[in-house]
Amino acid sequence: MIWTRIVNFLLGRRPAPPPERVALVVPAHAGPLIRRASELPEDAHAAPLPRFRSSAADASRPARSDRQLDQRRQKLQRAFTPSQPVRDERRFAGRKETLVSLIRAVEEQNLHAVIFGDRGMGKTSMLHVFSRLAREARYIVRYTSCSETSEFDPIFRAITADIPLLYHADFDPTSEEAERGGTLADLLPEQTLTPVRISESLARLSGTRVLIMLDEFDRVQSIDFKRSIAELIKNLSDQSIPVQIVIAGVAGNLNELLEHIPSIRRNVAGIPVTGMADDEVRELIHMGEGASDLTFTDEARDDVVNAAQGSPYVAGLVAQYAASDALDRDSTEVETRDVHSGITRALGEVKVRMGPASQLHLRVLLADVPPEAVAPLAQEGLRNFGMVHGGSPSDTKRAMVIARAVEAGVLAADQSHGGRDFRFTDDSVALYLWLAACLV
Ligand SMILES: Nc1ncnc2c1ncn2[C@@H]1O[C@H](COP(=O)(O)OP(=O)(O)OP(=O)(O)O)[C@@H](O)[C@H]1O
Ligand SMILES: [Mg+2]
C-alpha cells in the first residue's frame, strides 16, 4: 500500500479519492437514517466552504477529471495579469512608438531617460520589456524599484555588485580578480558613496554599456537622494561615461518628477506613457485570447475597450474577471454579460482599495447624482490625469454636476490654470464612477 503510494507520488498520480463521506441525519418524522452527503436536502447543508478553482500543481501533471477546466484557469491567470507588470514581450501590447523613442534616446542620443505617466499605465512593463531588449543587445542592465526609504549608498553598492571587473579598464579579462568573479563593488571605498565617488568608479568602465533602471521614483521621499541622482546624471553626461540612467515614476509631466532637480533637463529624454489607443487595448485583449484559448465576442471586446479608457490595468482586470465568469458558465466564449459581471467585480475591487474618506465622498455624491450624469467628468478625469475642465458657462447641466461633486468632496478646484479647472481628489473615484456608468 505504502509502495503504491510512493510509486503514484513519483509518477505524479493522485491517490484514489476517499470514499464519499456519509452523514447521519435524523429527520423529525422518522427514525435514524444513514444517507450520503450528496443526497442530503439542500437546507440540511451548512453553506459550503468556497474552494480554490484551480490546482496550484504544475499544469502538466495528470490530474482530476476537471483537469481541462483547471488548465484553462491557469492559462487565464497568465493571459491577463492586472496585478503584475508584463515581463514577457509576447504579452506586451502596443506602445511600439514609445519603445522606439526610448531606444533611440538611449542608443543614438546617449541620453538618460525619464518615463512618466499616470498610475497603472504600463511604465514598469515598458521598463521590463526595454530591459530585455537591451540585454539582447549586450547591455548590462540593472533594475531597481525605489521606495520611500531609498538611499544612494546601498543602492549603488548593489548596482555595482552586478558589474563584473571584466569591464574595468585596469583589469585584464584574464586577471585573477576578473576570473574570480570580482565586481566593481569590490573596489568601492568604505566611506559613504557620493555621486562623485561612484562616477569615478564608473568612469573606468570599458567595452560595455550599462543601463540603470530606477523604477517607482515618485515614491522616493529623500530630496538628497533625488539630488544625488541628478548630480550623477550630470557627471555621467559631462564625462561621456557609458552608463545611462532610466527613471520611471508616476507624474503628469517631466517637471513633477524632477521638481527638486531641474538642472538635468537637458541631459534627459522625457518619455510619456499616456493612455493606450483603443486599438492597443484591442491588441492586449487579442494577446490574452491567444494565451488563454478563449475568445471575446466583438461586442464583449468593445465593452472592455470602453471600460478601460486607455488603461491597460483596467483592461486586464475587467477582461480577466469577464473571462473567468465565462469559464464559470462552462463557455470559452466571453460575452457582454460576462464583461458586465466582470465590471461589477472590478467595481468591488476599486471600492475596497479606496480610502474611507473617498468612499464617503462617493456615497454622498451618488445619493444625489446618478453615475451616468457624472460619467463624462469621470471619463475626462481618467483620460486627463484626474483633471476636469470647468466647461463653458452656458453648460448649466455640467456646472451643476461639478458643483455637486465639489460639495461631496469628489472634485476640488484646481488653481493651476486660472482656477477654471477641477481635479478628482482620488483617481480611483473617477474610475469607480466610470465603471458604474458602464453598467447602466
Ligand atoms: N503594453 C502592455 N500590454 C499589456 N499589458 C500591459 C501593458 N502595459 C501594462 N500592462 C498591464 O497593465 C497593468 C499595469 O502595468 P504596470 O505595472 O507596468 O504599470 P505602471 O505604470 O508601472 O503602474 P504603477 O503606476 O502602479 O507603477 C499590469 O497589469 C500590466 O500587466
Ligand atoms: Mg510601476
Side-chain angles (χ1 to χ4, degrees):
M1 180 64 182
I2 187 73
W3 281 110
T4 318
R5 277 205 210 160
I6 292 170
V7 170
N8 279 346
F9 174 76
L10 291 175
L11 293 176
R13 285 189 203 132
R14 290 180 180 229
E20 212 170 343
R21 280 193 301 147
V22 291
L24 187 63
V25 180
V26 187
H29 61 279
L33 180 72
I34 291 189
R35 276 206 226 162
R36 286 175 187 281
S38 54
E39 291 166 8
L40 289 175
E42 201 61 40
D43 58 357
H45 286 282
L49 277 178
R51 300 261 181 251
F52 282 77
R53 288 190 289 191
S54 62
S55 159
D58 184 344
S60 63
R61 285 174 73 168
R64 313 189 297 257
S65 56
D66 56 356
R67 186 172 147 231
Q68 201 183 10
L69 189 61
D70 246 28
Q71 284 183 338
R72 288 222 172 95
R73 287 203 183 283
Q74 281 168 348
K75 279 187 174 179
L76 175 59
Q77 281 158 20
R78 290 190 290 263
F80 300 105
T81 53
S83 54
Q84 284 155 7
V86 175
R87 288 173 185 278
D88 180 347
E89 60 199 85
R90 287 168 304 177
R91 306 258 183 289
F92 185 72
R95 306 294 199 199
K96 305 299 178 288
E97 282 171 25
T98 315
L99 210 44
V100 168
S101 312
L102 183 55
I103 292 172
R104 292 222 172 113
V106 167
E107 186 178 39
E108 293 172 15
Q109 298 169 273
N110 279 317
L111 285 170
H112 305 268
V114 177
I115 300 174
F116 61 93
D118 209 345
R119 184 153 296 291
M121 278 301 166
K123 302 173 294 295
T124 301
S125 302
M126 171 78 65
L127 274 189
H128 285 318
V129 171
F130 176 64
S131 300
R132 188 175 279 245
L133 298 174
R135 285 194 184 101
E136 249 174 48
R138 319 283 296 173
Y139 282 72
I140 295 177
V141 181
R142 183 60 159 77
Y143 172 90
T144 299
S145 189
C146 299
S147 69
E148 286 81 357
T149 55
S150 285
E151 280 179 37
F152 191 79
D153 181 284
I155 284 192
F156 277 87
R157 282 189 195 276
I159 289 171
T160 46
D162 277 353
I163 306 177
L165 274 183
L166 193 68
Y167 298 108
H168 194 291
D170 301 346
F171 289 83
D172 191 274
T174 57
S175 68
E176 199 194 321
E177 292 88 341
E179 289 203 331
R180 253 201 340 251
T183 68
L184 229 57
D186 303 340
L187 308 181
L188 293 174
E190 292 208 339
Q191 306 106 292
T192 308
L193 288 181
T194 60
V196 172
R197 286 202 187 108
I198 201 78
S199 18
E200 276 167 8
S201 170
L202 295 172
R204 306 300 302 145
L205 283 176
S206 84
T208 190
R209 286 179 76 164
V210 177
L211 280 177
I212 297 172
M213 314 281 185
L214 298 176
D215 197 7
E216 320 298 345
F217 198 71
D218 53 290
R219 295 175 64 195
V220 174
Q221 300 277 321
S222 157
I223 295 174
D224 273 354
F225 177 80
K226 291 185 179 176
R227 292 215 173 104
S228 296
I229 296 295
E231 199 181 328
L232 179 61
I233 287 180
K234 266 229 144 291
N235 292 348
L236 294 172
S237 301
D238 291 351
Q239 299 172 46
S240 305
I241 297 173
V243 177
Q244 283 156 283
I245 298 188
V246 181
I247 292 172
V250 177
N253 55 57
L254 199 58
N255 295 350
E256 247 176 62
L257 210 57
L258 306 182
E259 63 183 330
H260 299 292
I261 46 176
S263 58
I264 55 164
R265 273 182 212 145
R266 272 186 307 109
N267 307 99
V268 301
I271 310 281
V273 177
T274 53
M276 280 181 153
D278 287 354
D279 278 349
E280 293 181 309
V281 179
R282 273 178 226 289
E283 190 184 331
L284 182 155
I285 301 168
H286 184 67
M287 286 174 158
E289 286 179 312
S292 61
D293 287 342
L294 299 173
T295 52
F296 283 65
T297 63
D298 289 347
E299 297 78 26
R301 203 174 301 122
D302 287 348
D303 284 350
V304 176
V305 170
N306 183 45
Q309 290 297 308
S311 159
Y313 162 69
V314 178
L317 185 69
V318 171
Q320 190 188 51
Y321 279 150
S324 164
D325 287 348
L327 285 182
D328 283 350
R329 294 191 292 105
D330 234 352
S331 168
T332 54
E333 188 174 68
V334 185
E335 300 174 8
T336 47
R337 56 177 157 161
D338 302 312
V339 177
H340 274 225
S341 60
I343 291 176
T344 309
R345 286 168 67 182
L347 270 174
E349 185 158 331
V350 175
K351 194 161 188 182
V352 164
R353 294 194 179 175
M354 247 178 236
S358 299
Q359 290 196 17
L360 178 67
H361 297 159
L362 191 61
R363 255 201 317 278
V364 171
L365 179 66
L366 289 179
D368 208 17
V369 185
E372 60 272 29
V374 204
L377 302 181
Q379 186 182 28
E380 197 179 322
L382 290 176
R383 291 280 188 182
N384 197 20
F385 224 82
M387 296 297 290
V388 168
H389 195 260
S392 108
S394 61
D395 191 345
T396 48
K397 190 172 159 214
R398 182 183 172 95
M400 199 184 74
V401 178
I402 289 180
R404 292 274 162 81
V406 171
E407 267 166 37
V410 164
L411 286 181
D414 187 281
Q415 303 304 330
S416 48
H417 297 105
R420 294 272 314 121
D421 290 343
F422 297 85
R423 63 179 161 72
F424 276 89
T425 48
D426 178 344
D427 24 324
S428 47
V429 173
L431 179 58
Y432 186 94
L433 289 168
W434 174 252
L435 291 178
C438 288
L439 292 176
V440 178

